[in-house]
Amino acid sequence: MSYLPSPPAFNSDAEGVTVHQLLLAALDAPSALDAVRQGLADSGAELCGLSMKPVGQIVEGSLRVRHLSDQAARLLARDLAAWPGVTSASVEHQWVRP
């Protein structure tokens, strides 16, 4: 998979660090966890939070990451969506955390 530039751009300012929230849907929890683990390893992002819940026949995951630029977060979502067993992924929010 084509991942982020190395090293990924660190997006920060005087007020704090930009945190991106990504959402993903997967066929099962192991697929979601594998995608998140590999995506974090390849991107160099720092995980700030991860939650998963079953919704019918799928698993929905929400992860918050930092140490990525806006473009790098979008690329991470694209690559998560391409992982086997993951049906979709997107960047939902971003905010600056002091």
Side-chain angles (χ1 to χ4, degrees):
M1 297 182 142
S2 63
Y3 283 96
L4 313 173
S6 187
F10 179 60
N11 191 19
S12 65
D13 59 22
E15 266 105 71
V17 176
T18 301
V19 176
H20 298 276
Q21 181 175 358
L22 290 81
L23 299 180
L24 65 93
L27 300 176
D28 53 37
S31 297
L33 288 171
D34 288 345
V36 169
R37 184 177 357 203
Q38 191 62 50
L40 292 174
D42 290 344
S43 71
E46 179 182 337
L47 181 66
C48 299
L50 173 65
S51 65
M52 286 197 212
K53 65 181 178 179
V55 179
Q57 299 290 319
I58 65 169
V59 172
E60 288 184 349
S62 173
L63 62 147
R64 285 178 286 136
V65 297
R66 66 182 192 173
H67 295 282
L68 292 180
S69 67
D70 295 347
Q71 179 184 6
R74 287 190 301 274
L75 291 172
L76 175 57
R78 181 200 66 193
D79 290 341
L80 288 173
W83 193 264
V86 175
T87 57
S88 67
S90 62
V91 177
E92 292 297 313
H93 303 285
Q94 75 172 15
W95 62 94
V96 175
R97 185 174 69 182

